[in-house]
Amino acid sequence: MSYRQTPTIVVLQEGTDTSQGRGQIISNINACLAIQDTLKSTLGPFGSDLLMVGSDGKTTITNDGATILKKLDVVHPAAKILVDISRSQDCEIGDGTTSVCLLASEILKNCKPFIEEGMSSHSIIKGLRESCNYVIEKIKDLEINLDEKPLDEEYDMLIKCALTAMNSKIIQQNGKFYSKLVVDSVLTLDRDDLDENLIGIKKIPGGAMEDSLFIKGVGFKKTFSYAGFEQQPKKFINPKILSLNVELELKAEKDNAEVRIEKVEDYQKIVDAEWGIIMDKLNKIIETGCNIVLSKLPIGDLATQFFADRGIFCAGRVSNDDLERTNKAVGGSILTSVNDINKEIELGTCEKFEELQIGSERFNIFSGCPLTKTCTLILRGGSIKIIDEIERSLHDAIMIVKRALKNKQIVSGGGAIEMELSKNLRDYSHSIKGKRQLIIQSFAKSLEIIPRQLCENAGLDSIELLNKLRNLHANNEINFGLDLDNDNVSNNFEKFIWEPSVVKINALQSATEAAILVLSVDETIQNKENDAQGGAPRGRGMPMPAGM
């Protein structure tokens, strides 16, 4: 019998990095634990802020988990999974971005010994799924439904949820002031939609934090203006508002076209024609009886002076977002032509318009809008970095209040729900035999990372306080959690430390899925860039079976 030489098939490019097996899973877990070490000090009311400097030299000071992970240049493929779940938590819920990463990392940390001992990752995954399903059902049993409450009680409930969301933020000392701003903002939105993008946030450095303003309507910064603007009136009661996407400006001919003429009179005809076009537009605007003209496009010096002479206020180059929000508040339409304007339908109105000086900026304020489905928050602070962090903090609180309005179920915060779930899961594990019992117990232990880290960030003895909580929860004190103000434990439901249950459910589901994804990957193939010289890439060879 003769054997031919086995040829080689190029499968992977030369230089391709491949890692596989148990060591690869442990390496991925270690990468996630490195992310946990970065984030854990930012959790809770006494969490620290991180100062990050980007490649462009810009600095960001924040303790928001999603923002930190967004700014970090994470290159490890497994660690990027944590970045993804923090972003999904931020988009879906708005808060709990740090908690979800800590939970996922802690689940992996407690599963690491099982991997090292040779337990199949699929057995671990089954146990984690079972644990997650059990705690989600338990949360639904423990949550308290605040539906069918009178309006004043609902308002108080939303204030408490907003305060809890702000406890870990830079604005916690001004929590009562900002929680009222947040709740008032969300309640102005359409209950069926609750689109948080209709809450305009404007930032003006200077002044104290509590100089921030809530405007039930629209406010935007004074736009670029031409000569004649200061002669226009700056205050109206019940004005008629015309919104345009039309340019009201004379253009220099050299910018638009080349015209060959033989006589001076021909040039004068061109100028007269252009003058006639813009004057026709302006006169048609005057005929509508409007008091305020807003446009996305420029309103030039001729139109500005024309409106000033007739007691009309105008603003050109209004940003698209501001004009859209104004239109939704005052009514009317954004028109692309001034011909055949229907005064009854296409003009908006409000109770009051005025231009105000706020700090170093001038703002155009529309208040008392009949169709108010939008509002504006004008934030003040010592520096733009502080205001940026206030904005991130308010975003979390706005999203929490929005979720609380949609989902009236709440649970006790401050680690209370995590300790109760941990206790129930441990009790459940006693009815399970075999390896799954160990996995379920490790999941129960992982849930304690939240109260433990809250204690450590506050400089308290986590062993003592967690033992107190375990004892209380063993005696069915289900609402007891950490009271960091008094360095002790307390009934957090009675102290109004509340969180929407949907925040916890989403965090637990996302963290478990992330941990399962990391555990299910036991090989990484990382391709290098192709050879810059081109041509067929050289590769790693695999022998072809004889006879092929």
Side-chain angles (χ1 to χ4, degrees):
M1 183 182 290
S2 61
Y3 290 93
R4 289 176 296 169
Q5 186 178 3
T6 305
T8 300
I9 301 174
V10 175
V11 175
L12 298 177
Q13 181 182 323
E14 187 178 23
T16 300
D17 178 31
T18 61
S19 308
Q20 59 185 343
R22 192 183 309 161
Q24 182 57 46
I25 299 177
I26 292 171
S27 171
N28 290 343
I29 291 173
N30 290 338
C32 294
L33 295 182
I35 295 285
Q36 185 193 44
D37 287 340
T38 304
L39 285 181
K40 65 183 182 182
S41 63
T42 68
L43 184 71
F46 295 93
S48 307
D49 288 355
L50 264 63
L51 170 62
M52 288 170 291
V53 184
S55 56
D56 55 358
K58 290 185 178 178
T59 58
T60 304
I61 302 171
T62 183
N63 68 355
D64 180 63
T67 305
I68 292 168
L69 290 176
K70 200 184 297 178
K71 298 285 183 183
L72 287 176
D73 188 14
V74 178
V75 294
H76 194 285
K80 283 183 178 178
I81 295 169
L82 296 188
V83 179
D84 291 339
I85 62 167
S86 78
R87 285 183 180 173
S88 70
Q89 180 82 3
D90 193 41
C91 293
E92 184 67 22
I93 304 296
D95 196 19
T97 52
T98 306
S99 300
V100 72
C101 291
L102 294 187
L103 277 169
S105 302
E106 192 68 12
I107 291 169
L108 290 169
K109 181 180 177 181
N110 289 321
C111 290
K112 185 178 172 183
F114 303 135
I115 296 291
E116 290 171 338
E117 289 165 9
M119 188 184 292
S120 167
S121 59
H122 296 292
S123 300
I124 298 172
I125 288 169
K126 282 182 185 176
L128 294 182
R129 284 199 194 281
E130 184 179 352
S131 303
C132 180
N133 292 336
Y134 180 83
V135 294
I136 298 303
E137 290 302 316
K138 203 66 191 172
I139 289 177
K140 291 177 179 175
D141 291 340
L142 294 170
E143 65 190 9
I144 296 158
N145 196 329
L146 297 178
D147 211 357
E148 299 178 5
K149 293 280 183 183
L151 284 177
D152 57 339
E153 288 188 33
E154 181 185 65
Y155 188 85
D156 288 343
M157 182 265 292
L158 296 175
I159 290 280
K160 286 156 189 168
C161 287
L163 274 170
T164 304
M166 292 178 190
N167 272 343
S168 60
K169 307 296 182 185
I170 190 175
I171 53 178
Q172 61 174 308
Q173 300 299 326
N174 310 85
K176 289 184 179 177
F177 172 78
Y178 279 111
S179 60
K180 189 174 186 305
L181 255 62
V182 165
V183 175
D184 288 343
S185 301
V186 176
L187 291 178
T188 59
L189 303 177
D190 188 338
R191 283 288 184 107
D192 297 327
D193 185 19
L194 290 178
D195 182 5
E196 69 274 7
N197 294 320
L198 292 177
I199 300 175
I201 295 182
K202 307 295 178 184
K203 297 178 271 192
I204 306 177
M209 286 186 182
E210 296 202 0
D211 290 339
S212 300
L213 296 175
F214 165 73
I215 298 168
K216 194 172 183 180
V218 181
F220 55 82
K221 197 166 82 170
K222 172 183 157 313
T223 57
F224 182 86
S225 58
Y226 289 88
F229 175 79
E230 296 301 341
Q231 298 170 30
Q232 294 178 354
K234 301 295 189 289
K235 187 174 181 180
F236 289 99
I237 303 297
N238 297 320
K240 292 181 179 177
I241 303 163
L242 178 64
S243 300
L244 299 172
N245 188 15
V246 177
E247 190 172 36
L248 300 173
E249 188 173 27
L250 282 168
K251 285 288 184 183
E253 286 76 12
K254 64 180 182 181
D255 293 341
N256 297 313
E258 181 180 327
V259 181
R260 296 181 183 273
I261 58 173
E262 295 179 355
K263 296 184 290 184
V264 174
E265 290 81 2
D266 292 340
Y267 180 73
Q268 187 61 46
K269 287 178 182 177
I270 295 170
V271 173
D272 290 345
E274 188 177 26
W275 189 273
I277 290 169
I278 192 168
M279 290 305 294
D280 181 55
K281 288 181 182 177
L282 295 176
N283 286 320
K284 284 178 178 176
I285 291 171
I286 295 297
E287 287 170 11
T288 65
C290 64
N291 308 107
I292 298 171
V293 179
L294 305 175
S295 180
K296 292 182 185 180
L297 298 175
I299 296 178
D301 48 0
L302 169 67
T304 302
Q305 188 63 58
F306 183 89
F307 290 135
D309 293 343
R310 289 155 181 78
I312 295 174
F313 175 90
C314 70
R317 301 180 185 175
V318 181
S319 71
N320 185 57
D321 289 345
D322 288 333
L323 196 59
E324 290 283 354
R325 290 194 308 110
T326 303
N327 204 47
K328 287 189 178 182
V330 303
S333 308
I334 299 175
L335 306 176
T336 55
S337 170
V338 295
N339 296 318
D340 302 319
I341 296 175
N342 188 321
K343 303 176 190 178
E344 303 300 323
I345 299 173
E346 292 169 337
L347 294 183
T349 187
C350 65
E351 287 180 9
K352 185 179 179 183
F353 165 81
E354 59 185 331
E355 186 174 287
L356 295 177
Q357 184 79 24
I358 303 174
S360 60
E361 305 286 355
R362 285 161 69 177
F363 266 73
N364 299 325
I365 310 292
F366 299 81
S367 53
C369 304
L371 303 176
T372 299
K373 301 294 180 188
T374 181
C375 63
T376 305
L377 293 174
I378 298 178
L379 305 181
R380 308 296 307 279
S383 74
I384 195 66
K385 299 293 180 195
I386 293 173
I387 298 175
D388 286 342
E389 180 62 6
I390 292 172
E391 182 186 12
R392 285 188 284 268
S393 304
L394 290 184
H395 170 262
D396 287 2
I398 285 168
M399 292 297 285
I400 283 293
V401 171
K402 175 183 165 182
R403 293 297 163 197
L405 267 177
K406 284 189 174 181
N407 305 279
K408 299 293 180 66
Q409 294 77 26
I410 59 104
V411 292
S412 301
I417 187 66
E418 285 84 4
M419 292 303 296
E420 181 63 18
L421 293 175
S422 178
K423 174 248 179 186
N424 279 279
L425 202 53
R426 279 197 174 93
D427 292 346
Y428 171 70
S429 71
H430 296 150
S431 64
I432 306 293
K433 293 181 181 179
K435 294 177 184 177
R436 278 192 309 151
Q437 185 186 70
L438 298 174
I439 308 302
I440 292 170
Q441 287 178 352
S442 76
F443 194 100
K445 183 182 177 185
S446 302
L447 292 171
E448 293 183 354
I449 182 62
I450 302 299
R452 184 184 301 114
Q453 198 58 50
L454 288 172
C455 287
E456 289 178 6
N457 289 351
L460 305 178
D461 185 348
S462 59
I463 296 173
E464 179 190 351
L465 291 180
L466 258 63
N467 279 336
K468 277 187 182 180
L469 287 176
R470 287 190 193 106
N471 185 43
L472 286 163
H473 283 268
N475 293 315
N476 291 322
E477 296 286 357
I478 62 174
N479 292 314
F480 266 76
L482 295 169
D483 179 6
L484 299 181
D485 292 333
N486 299 311
D487 300 348
N488 208 332
V489 297
S490 65
N491 187 321
N492 284 354
F493 185 76
E494 292 179 358
K495 288 200 75 173
F496 305 116
I497 302 174
W498 297 349
E499 294 184 73
S501 61
V502 67
V503 177
K504 295 300 179 186
I505 290 172
N506 199 81
L508 284 165
Q509 287 175 331
S510 298
T512 306
E513 289 300 325
I516 286 170
L517 188 56
V518 172
L519 290 170
S520 64
V521 174
D522 75 338
E523 181 169 6
T524 302
I525 300 175
Q526 193 167 358
N527 289 324
K528 303 295 182 186
E529 301 237 347
N530 280 345
D531 204 300
Q533 296 177 355
R538 294 172 297 164
R540 235 171 55 169
M542 285 191 179
M544 179 186 285
M548 290 187 69

